[in-house]
Amino acid sequence: MFDRRTFFRGTSLGLAGLYLGPFLRQLEAASDKAKPARVLFFVQANGIYPGEIQPAGIERPKNPTTLEDRSLDDHQMAYSMEPSAPWTMKMTLVHGLSGRIARGSHGMGFAALGCWPCGKRDYDETVNAALARSLGGIYPHIGLGVHDSSASIAYNVTSAGRGKALPTLLNPVLAHQQYFAAGANGQARKAFDVDTNLLDFMSDDVKRMTARLDGSERDKLDRYLEAFEAMSGRQTKLAGMSDRISQAAPNIDPATGNLIDTKTGPTGIFDRLEAQFDIAAGTLIAGLTNVVTVTAGAGPDRVGLSCLASEVGKGEGRIGGHSIGHGSTQAGIPAAECHALIRRKCLEQLARFLSKLESIPEGDGTMLDNTLIVYMSDAADQHHPGCYEWPYVLIGDLGGRLNLGNRYLRYPWYGQTGHRTIASLYMSLLHAVGDRRESFGIDDLAIADLDQRGPLSELMI
């Protein structure tokens, strides 16, 4: 048993006197069952260029023709990657996979996680939604993010099927209310209970109506009923988990959307990202979901994060995501360094998330042991991407379901024998949770003679 203040110390959550006893006892009771599995996708707009995250001492040949598989031992992380260095033994860098089918002008949005042409938007099921369907949860998928605009919600990276875009909540206050109302007190809890009772009433009402209908009208009403019952069931489950939810809820200032006591800045984009990662951790700790996607400025044709130089700890003036993508010096800082500073700031927030999960006992390890983090850009290899190479940083091994950790993997270049695509990486994740499909998204016909079926054997157990 441990004190929640100790658990969240240094994260400005201030939840004193709360304990995870019931949750940990539940985990202990379930320790003889299959290990849990959780996935967090962190998608940064225009965020990762392969050469900028290359570990020291590992060369990058221009057109590699062979698979390189080596350990990360004695290879120092790039400056922007240093916040993730404590987890090197759990880290796998995957380079050389192509995603040409998804290419667009800037960010690829849905296509980055779906493997289809960018212009098709929510064309089919993205990999995070597919994993959510396999892993389940009260909320099968939770989407959180930050944006340079004032929008509160976006439909930009996740899709449950054709024309079924899933939301990304961009306002931490709204996200906090959405996912932790069942653990709240006062008016927020009253509103939650009213919603629950209303959904129950609507469900009963629809059931009575079905007796009066037949044929296609009844089929349509049945589909409505299924939707009402799903919402009502979720509300009921949440109400029963109110203690666990309140224990996991981060403390958000409703006036600013920031964590209480957290440092605020002129744009606040990294403070908002900090809050969203705390909400992501809370939803996983509370058991509300098993799949979370956190985005930083991602979406179709997005150009990267903008901020003030002071927010990344160097100089004064504005750093524009679009301008640094075109190589412009911003606030007196060269473009490549601006990219590195922004990426490092994002990874500092991810590191806090990793530390939280690593501090939660689960079975004979920690929550982090049963979690996989997929850090990626929605724009592949450069500002105007060719998508010949789409780099990934994987942390964790999904409870031993994947052969990951302390590895640098680089696949042969586009068109070379042995080259693989991002679709095969996604199939690897899906196979690991029991979805053994042999294709994903749309094939790249320009390399139709190469293997685009099934998972990456190098990652499979």
Side-chain angles (χ1 to χ4, degrees):
M1 194 77 64
F2 60 91
D3 189 311
R4 291 285 291 183
R5 180 175 291 278
T6 300
F7 168 65
F8 284 120
R9 181 170 294 154
T11 66
S12 303
L13 293 181
L15 296 177
L18 293 177
Y19 296 88
L20 276 176
F23 182 46
L24 297 179
R25 284 195 294 272
Q26 184 180 16
L27 290 176
E28 184 178 1
S31 60
D32 59 342
K33 300 179 181 178
K35 290 184 177 181
R38 308 175 192 88
V39 184
L40 177 127
F41 287 85
F42 180 24
V43 185
Q44 183 183 341
N46 222 264
I48 309 178
Y49 300 167
E52 293 183 0
I53 64 167
Q54 190 77 4
I58 300 180
E59 296 182 357
R60 280 184 52 78
K62 186 174 181 180
N63 294 298
T65 59
T66 59
L67 173 73
E68 182 170 2
D69 185 354
R70 61 194 296 177
S71 82
L72 293 171
D73 288 343
D74 303 319
H75 295 288
Q76 184 177 353
M77 290 289 109
Y79 170 76
S80 65
M81 292 286 294
E82 285 179 353
S84 63
W87 295 278
T88 300
M89 294 302 295
K90 293 180 177 290
M91 182 185 299
T92 301
L93 300 180
V94 183
H95 286 186
L97 303 177
S98 68
R100 295 272 293 162
I101 191 66
R103 68 190 182 277
S105 177
H106 293 105
M108 265 59 82
F110 300 100
L113 293 170
C115 303
W116 54 71
C118 180
K120 289 183 177 290
R121 297 183 68 84
D122 49 343
Y123 170 78
D124 204 340
E125 186 178 45
T126 53
V127 64
N128 50 348
L131 287 165
R133 185 163 47 80
S134 292
L135 295 177
I138 292 177
Y139 295 97
H141 176 265
I142 285 177
L144 306 165
V146 296
H147 216 284
D148 290 336
S149 76
S150 60
S152 295
I153 190 169
Y155 295 84
N156 55 4
V157 295
T158 305
S159 172
R162 184 169 299 189
K164 296 180 179 179
L166 298 181
T168 299
L169 298 184
L170 302 174
N171 183 328
V173 173
L174 295 180
H176 187 269
Q177 292 170 349
Q178 169 73 20
Y179 298 118
F180 295 106
N185 296 313
Q187 195 59 40
R189 179 55 194 255
K190 289 178 182 177
F192 176 87
D193 290 337
V194 167
D195 287 343
T196 301
N197 294 336
L198 178 61
L199 288 168
D200 288 340
F201 173 79
M202 292 173 70
S203 177
D204 291 339
D205 197 39
V206 173
K207 285 179 180 178
R208 287 192 294 270
M209 291 179 65
T210 57
R212 306 177 186 177
L213 300 173
D214 55 21
S216 62
E217 289 185 348
R218 181 167 184 169
D219 290 339
K220 291 178 183 178
L221 195 59
D222 283 342
R223 285 193 285 273
Y224 284 120
L225 176 60
E226 290 173 4
F228 289 143
E229 288 180 330
M231 288 187 290
S232 179
R234 183 172 70 183
Q235 297 285 92
T236 300
K237 289 179 183 178
L238 288 171
M241 297 169 63
S242 60
D243 288 342
R244 276 177 56 191
I245 294 170
S246 66
Q247 290 166 359
N251 199 6
I252 305 294
D253 183 345
T256 65
N258 295 323
L259 291 172
I260 289 180
D261 296 330
T262 198
K263 175 183 173 292
T264 58
T267 72
I269 195 154
F270 298 112
D271 293 311
R272 282 180 278 136
L273 184 61
E274 178 183 311
Q276 295 290 43
F277 266 116
D278 278 311
I279 291 169
T283 59
L284 292 171
I285 292 167
L288 299 179
T289 189
N290 293 309
V291 181
V292 179
T293 303
V294 176
T295 66
D301 211 34
R302 298 293 299 172
V303 296
L305 291 180
S306 297
C307 61
L308 294 188
S310 60
E311 292 182 283
V312 291
K314 183 170 182 177
E316 298 295 333
R318 186 176 185 274
I319 299 175
H322 191 243
S323 297
I324 62 173
H326 283 272
S328 299
T329 295
Q330 299 283 291
I333 308 171
E337 187 178 351
C338 289
H339 264 302
L341 289 167
I342 291 173
R343 189 182 309 113
R344 183 183 177 95
K345 197 69 175 180
C346 288
L347 285 172
E348 286 174 358
Q349 312 315 319
L350 179 62
R352 293 176 65 256
F353 170 87
L354 295 171
S355 294
K356 286 185 186 123
L357 265 60
E358 194 169 48
S359 69
I360 302 289
E362 186 167 69
D364 56 359
T366 72
M367 281 187 68
L368 185 59
D369 293 328
N370 298 315
T371 304
L372 172 68
I373 289 82
V374 181
Y375 175 48
M376 60 180 286
S377 171
D378 72 341
D381 47 0
Q382 56 188 352
H383 184 70
H384 290 292
C387 299
Y388 288 103
E389 182 176 21
W390 210 313
Y392 290 81
V393 179
L394 309 178
I395 300 175
D397 62 8
L398 207 58
R401 294 172 175 85
L402 290 165
N403 181 20
L404 296 172
N406 192 29
R407 296 179 78 184
Y408 173 85
L409 277 172
R410 189 204 62 226
Y411 286 84
W413 194 249
Y414 186 80
Q416 302 282 352
T417 300
H419 175 74
R420 303 300 297 271
T421 70
I422 63 175
S424 288
L425 172 62
Y426 296 161
M427 283 184 277
S428 303
L429 308 186
L430 291 168
H431 276 231
V433 299
D435 184 343
R436 306 187 68 79
R437 66 182 76 185
E438 289 302 305
S439 65
F440 186 81
I442 296 176
D443 286 352
D444 182 350
L445 296 181
I447 51 172
D449 58 325
L450 299 181
D451 184 10
Q452 299 182 55
R453 290 288 177 268
L456 302 172
S457 60
E458 296 78 16
L459 305 188
M460 306 314 295
I461 298 297

